[in-house]
Amino acid sequence: MAGPRVVIIGAGVVGAALADEISARGWTEVTVVDQGPLPATCGSSSHAPGLVFQTNASKTMTELARYTVEKFSSLEVDGKPCFLQVGGLEVATSPERLAEIQRRHGWLASWGIDSRLLNADECVERHPLVDRDKILGGLFVPTDGLAKAVLAVEAQIRRATERGVRFLARHEVLDIRQSEGRVTGVVTDHGEIDADIVVCCAGIWGPKIARMVGMNLPLTPLAHQLAWTGPVPALAGQTEEAVRPILRHQDADLYYRDRYDGIGIGYYGHRPMPVSADDILSVDEAEEMPSVLKFTEEDFEPAWTETQSLLPATQEAKVEEGINGLFSFTTDGYPLLGESPQVKGFWVAEAVWVTHSAGVGRAVAEWLVDGYCSSFDLHECDVNRFEPHQLSPEYVLARDCQNFVEVYDILHPLQPSGDPRPIRTSPFYARQQAHGAFFLEANGWERPQWYEANAPLVEGRNIPTPNDWAARYWSPIVGAEAQATRESVALYDMTALKRLEVTGPGAAAFLERLCTGKIDKSVGSVTYTLLLDHDGGIRSDVTVARLARDRFQVGANGNLDLDWFSRHLPADGTVQVRDITAGTCCIGLWGPLAREVLQPLAEEDFSNEGLKYFRAKHAYIGAVPVTAMRLSYVGELGWELYTTADQGLKLWDTLWAAAQPLGGVIAGRGAFNSLRLEKGYRSFGTDMTYEHDPYEAGVGFAVKLDKDDFIGKAALQRRKADVRRRLTCLTIDDPRAVVLGKEPVYDGEHAVGYVTSAAYGYTVGKGIAYAWLPAGLAEPGTRLHIGYFDQRIEAVVAEEPLFDPTMSRLRG
């Protein structure tokens, strides 16, 4: 026996996968409990239709699915395969969907999965039941297929059992024991099981289990319709369970799969039907199984009508059975993985469908055993990613239901979120509304993308209009605001960026241990630095300002940074960390005339000598006390000006009154993104994530290997000499060929990388796309192509930064 005592709650596809993966890594003192029988536990796994489509806009989700396909393809139970690799086919019945299929084909090329675009005839060759006259084309993925979920559970249970894992069926969890903030055991209706680690893989019951340790899990079980036809005459004599590809008709929220001479039909087009985890029946109470509700035929009528149109052969068949099966939905569509922030040793692996189950099992096993996940970038999936408002019952229910409705929708990368909005507004919100701000959401904040009041600025400027897709949620005003920032001065609302305060006599040493840069410097210093995981991967990039001997302000990327800091706090209480975002606000004042705006408003010296680049100080701007930091992510002279929320509006009005006579403007996030790409500034979560190290990402300058030990230092010393890929700047001459991110990059006919951030550079007069490329192709002058829908756009590797390489404008 080896490893800590682990109890896994739930023996469905996730719990079984985790037990298999964790025992394969040497942890064998593992017990898996489930309230139902084995291997069909009566949860979502037991009724899941099993369709595994790997296509996803998220690289991580695609890779989790790819691993699931690879693993299930290798599993069998008594000679019966756990995966039927019949391929996956998506068909388009509208021009909009055909374009979306081309975009999805690009994702697969980006993530390294083979796929093929088919014309209508080729689609019918793959799936002869499809009406040729209804479709325009399709996307075929040869490695997709049908997962036999219950068989896969059984196969993994057998493997784990052989290594010593114990599986206990018919054990209902009643409570989770804890002492001094750590789990100690699981109480079941058959007694208590001691545990050092508890992992909740309870699926639709997850919120109920998590509440036992005071954890609020943003998950909603929703009913999803699945029906089975009787015999379809055109399929008479089919003796194999599945011979045709699994099929998606996303224009009508439908999917299909073979079942011998009948067809399974899944439908997302009906009204959302949420269910509270507390209202789900027990295994013994349920007529069939707790995760299956009565089929509501009236909700399915549109699906059956459309099915008979797309698959005319079904007109000779009938729907003979159906269920409303419960599945887990989250507010952003990603799983919930990781450890509770309050109770050590309590982990969750929730909101995971069969498609990603084996991948999640491997990811969580690595995380538990090694302390980090080396196979997948999990920042999108970490359960601690949410802001407090995103855990409210109203928010969770609304967004989970919205995600159900939008499962098959064509979603633009900038598409605004639905209700509830607005949730968080900066002190400047009323002024922004008065200037006609077009708002998008950022961490719940209403953040202007541009201002309609700036429409007159467009006149006389050369601002090219991008292609139709890129022009959604765009305005030529974006270009005008960007150019005006470079010409005069602009005010940017930076309130949505997270701000943490780190205080206490141990604060400097604490930050030195977590950060790659030197932090223990003079009061007033500001440092751009990185947070790394133990394998050297980038967890975040932050700015750390020393505002007093024992007080630091950290400009962070999100709640995961707060969680990371909190988990590493010393036990002696010498360091405190708190989120000060809600009580503060920030204005970015940037542009060549920024000093002419600011200096007359302050007695403090804001000359180059009075406040150097990357320095901070306290000052009064008019009547408002501020913390002024001389840094800029648009590549212009200026400051980030922080004050308390109650005085934010006064600060805005004071600066705006001084900027207007100089031709100043207020500007939005669209301009900001264009300007920061011209300057080559990276964005964590988009340009670089956990899977990248600083040297690959081009931020090695933020690493000081000559300082004392910090998290990730040893791994970096190993990785530094072996850089095989680089984040690279590409430029595009065609002004309409603006890409948006996640598109594949081709060297000849081979996909060699993918785009991260992109925008048009209104100063440099070129499209800009940052992309991950093999190091050998990252040389300036290399000519490549970007796959964009059905086009190949010419691009060339450029020296960076594109704007102000001497830093003269920033340091002036």
Side-chain angles (χ1 to χ4, degrees):
M1 306 293 284
R5 298 167 299 177
V6 179
V7 175
I8 298 171
I9 302 172
V13 284
V14 181
L18 177 57
D20 179 36
E21 296 283 345
I22 202 172
S23 60
R25 286 162 175 78
W27 283 16
T28 54
E29 197 167 344
V30 178
T31 301
V32 185
V33 299
D34 200 289
Q35 63 180 329
L38 297 176
T41 63
C42 300
S44 299
S45 304
S46 300
H47 66 73
L51 290 82
V52 177
F53 289 96
Q54 297 166 85
T55 311
N56 198 292
S58 164
K59 182 173 184 281
T60 295
M61 297 299 281
T62 299
E63 290 177 340
L64 292 170
R66 172 164 43 196
Y67 181 79
T68 301
V69 167
E70 293 170 354
K71 183 176 184 181
F72 283 10
S73 296
S74 71
L75 298 177
E76 62 175 34
V77 175
D78 301 331
K80 294 179 285 188
C82 294
F83 192 75
L84 307 177
Q85 201 157 53
V86 292
L89 176 64
E90 298 181 14
V91 294
T93 60
S94 66
E96 294 79 13
R97 183 65 61 176
L98 186 64
E100 171 71 358
I101 277 177
Q102 293 162 347
R103 186 167 71 116
R104 296 168 71 80
H105 174 61
W107 296 341
L108 291 166
S110 293
W111 315 146
I113 289 184
D114 179 42
S115 66
R116 304 161 199 171
L117 290 170
L118 307 180
N119 61 34
D121 291 330
E122 291 169 325
C123 291
V124 175
E125 287 177 16
R126 298 280 182 183
H127 202 300
L129 297 189
V130 172
D131 184 351
R132 165 66 179 77
D133 294 335
K134 283 274 295 184
I135 61 173
L136 302 177
L139 173 66
F140 181 67
V141 182
T143 52
D144 286 349
L146 281 169
K148 306 290 290 180
V150 175
L151 275 182
V153 168
E154 185 173 358
Q156 292 173 103
I157 286 176
R158 289 185 182 186
R159 285 160 46 127
T161 301
E162 289 174 358
R163 303 187 192 104
V165 174
R166 182 173 59 149
F167 286 82
L168 302 177
R170 295 287 184 175
H171 278 60
E172 182 180 359
V173 174
L174 304 177
D175 197 8
I176 298 180
R177 295 281 190 236
Q178 51 185 301
S179 176
E180 297 181 351
R182 175 175 287 280
V183 296
T184 60
V186 174
V187 180
T188 76
D189 55 355
H190 290 276
E192 186 168 341
I193 306 168
D194 292 337
D196 304 303
I197 293 172
V198 175
V199 187
C200 178
C201 304
I204 55 178
W205 290 279
K208 185 176 180 179
I209 299 296
R211 278 202 306 274
M212 294 178 183
V213 296
M215 187 177 183
N216 187 357
L217 208 59
L219 178 160
T220 303
L222 280 110
H224 161 57
Q225 291 200 302
L226 176 66
W228 301 96
T229 71
V232 177
L235 306 182
Q238 181 173 319
T239 57
E240 294 182 61
E241 180 178 353
V243 296
R244 279 163 292 278
I246 55 176
L247 177 67
R248 279 205 279 206
H249 175 25
Q250 292 174 295
D251 279 325
D253 298 304
L254 285 162
Y255 64 78
Y256 304 95
R257 55 153 294 178
D258 285 7
R259 189 173 71 167
Y260 300 103
D261 62 352
I263 295 175
I265 307 167
Y267 186 44
Y268 287 107
H270 56 79
R271 61 194 167 89
M273 294 183 266
V275 176
S276 169
D278 295 316
D279 294 334
I280 301 173
L281 299 176
S282 69
V283 172
D284 293 329
E285 291 174 324
E287 183 176 331
E288 182 175 351
M289 63 177 76
S291 59
V292 171
L293 306 181
K294 183 179 179 181
F295 188 60
T296 51
E297 295 182 7
E298 64 278 10
D299 289 305
F300 193 72
E301 287 177 3
W304 183 233
T305 299
E306 181 60 29
T307 296
Q308 290 176 307
S309 174
L310 182 72
L311 309 176
T314 60
Q315 294 172 13
E316 301 179 63
K318 294 181 179 179
V319 174
E320 292 196 346
E321 54 183 306
I323 62 170
N324 285 8
L326 295 178
F327 287 98
S328 300
F329 282 78
T330 62
T331 58
D332 57 8
Y334 292 107
L336 307 173
L337 312 179
E339 188 179 22
S340 161
Q342 290 87 25
V343 180
K344 292 186 181 300
F346 182 80
W347 289 67
V348 299
E350 289 289 346
V352 181
W353 294 2
V354 173
T355 300
H356 309 103
S357 58
V360 166
R362 177 175 180 173
V364 176
E366 289 179 355
W367 201 349
L368 286 166
V369 175
D370 301 330
Y372 59 89
C373 178
S374 58
S375 297
F376 309 98
D377 162 33
L378 296 181
H379 85 276
E380 294 171 317
C381 306
D382 194 314
V383 70
N384 297 295
R385 63 189 181 268
F386 300 103
E387 295 291 323
H389 74 273
Q390 294 173 321
L391 300 175
S392 70
E394 178 185 351
Y395 182 95
V396 171
L397 180 60
R399 291 293 171 89
D400 288 358
C401 289
Q402 178 183 342
N403 275 328
F404 177 89
V405 171
E406 293 179 347
V407 161
Y408 283 172
D409 285 3
I410 299 171
L411 300 176
H412 191 276
L414 294 178
Q415 187 159 322
S417 304
D419 290 334
R421 278 184 70 190
I423 297 177
R424 308 174 83 182
T425 57
S426 77
F428 329 126
Y429 184 60
R431 298 291 187 267
Q432 292 164 344
Q433 287 179 307
H435 282 84
F438 180 84
F439 291 101
L440 296 179
E441 187 182 7
N443 297 324
W445 294 94
E446 296 296 316
R447 183 168 65 185
Q449 193 73 359
W450 70 80
Y451 295 87
E452 288 295 335
N454 287 329
L457 288 175
V458 176
E459 187 175 351
R461 297 179 182 273
N462 180 23
I463 300 172
T465 300
N467 58 81
D468 291 346
W469 182 251
R472 295 189 188 185
Y473 311 110
W474 174 88
S475 166
I477 297 171
V478 167
E481 290 176 356
Q483 291 178 356
T485 303
R486 296 262 189 250
E487 296 162 358
S488 56
V489 63
L491 277 66
Y492 288 82
D493 181 0
M494 304 300 291
T495 303
L497 298 182
K498 198 170 197 68
R499 294 171 289 285
L500 307 177
E501 186 178 71
V502 182
T503 56
F510 169 75
L511 290 168
E512 285 285 346
R513 171 69 179 150
L514 266 64
C515 297
T516 62
K518 184 69 175 174
I519 306 300
D520 193 2
K521 299 186 292 190
S522 63
V523 172
S525 63
V526 183
T527 306
Y528 173 80
T529 185
L530 307 173
L531 308 179
L532 303 181
D533 216 326
H534 294 275
D535 65 345
I538 301 171
R539 289 195 62 95
S540 190
D541 64 335
V542 299
T543 54
V544 180
R546 190 170 202 170
L547 303 182
R549 176 179 172 81
D550 296 335
R551 181 164 65 91
F552 297 81
Q553 182 171 308
V554 178
N557 280 299
N559 212 56
L560 288 180
D561 293 343
L562 174 60
D563 181 67
W564 185 251
F565 281 0
S566 299
R567 290 183 187 279
H568 290 86
L569 286 172
D572 60 9
T574 57
V575 183
Q576 296 80 44
V577 177
R578 68 186 185 103
D579 184 350
I580 61 171
T581 311
T584 57
C585 59
C586 178
I587 296 173
L589 179 71
W590 296 312
L593 302 184
R595 187 173 283 121
E596 295 180 39
V597 171
L598 193 63
Q599 188 61 78
L601 301 173
E603 293 184 0
E604 291 79 4
D605 184 4
F606 280 95
S607 69
N608 196 38
E609 295 72 26
L611 187 62
K612 295 183 182 298
Y613 187 53
F614 264 79
R615 297 287 298 179
K617 69 178 178 182
H618 300 292
Y620 285 93
I621 305 303
V624 180
V626 302
T627 298
M629 298 186 196
R630 190 174 166 196
L631 56 156
S632 163
Y633 282 88
V634 301
E636 292 290 342
L637 169 69
W639 298 267
E640 292 180 358
L641 302 171
Y642 298 88
T643 190
T644 52
D646 61 323
Q647 297 182 82
L649 185 58
K650 180 63 175 176
L651 177 62
W652 178 278
D653 288 344
T654 300
L655 292 170
W656 181 230
Q660 279 183 285
L662 298 174
V665 300
I666 51 176
R669 188 69 179 186
F672 178 94
N673 196 49
S674 171
L675 296 170
R676 69 105 178 161
L677 286 175
E678 289 184 333
K679 193 60 184 164
Y681 292 140
R682 278 66 169 144
S683 173
F684 176 80
T686 304
D687 298 318
M688 53 191 186
T689 66
Y690 294 3
E691 67 175 298
H692 307 115
D693 72 44
Y695 305 110
E696 298 171 328
V699 288
F701 64 87
V703 178
K704 307 303 179 188
L705 288 176
D706 58 348
K707 65 175 274 190
D708 290 340
D709 195 25
F710 56 85
I711 293 175
K713 180 179 179 180
L716 275 193
Q717 288 172 321
R718 296 190 299 269
R719 295 175 69 156
K720 184 177 182 181
D722 188 27
V723 176
R724 302 182 183 182
R725 58 182 175 179
R726 293 191 183 278
L727 184 61
T728 307
C729 179
L730 300 173
T731 58
I732 302 165
D733 286 335
D734 183 350
R736 282 188 53 80
V738 175
V739 301
L740 296 178
K742 303 187 178 182
E743 297 88 0
V745 180
Y746 290 91
D747 179 23
E749 292 304 310
H750 302 287
V752 292
Y754 59 92
V755 174
T756 58
S757 295
Y760 189 79
Y762 298 99
T763 311
V764 300
K766 293 178 181 290
I768 306 169
Y770 271 78
W772 281 102
L773 296 175
L777 293 175
E779 295 297 322
T782 303
R783 295 194 172 275
L784 302 165
H785 288 84
I786 298 172
Y788 189 66
F789 294 93
D790 60 345
Q791 305 171 41
R792 293 289 178 91
I793 297 170
E794 292 184 4
V796 62
V797 176
E799 291 273 10
E800 59 170 329
L802 299 172
F803 178 78
D804 189 27
T806 64
M807 305 282 282
S808 60
R809 294 173 74 102
L810 275 170
R811 298 180 183 275

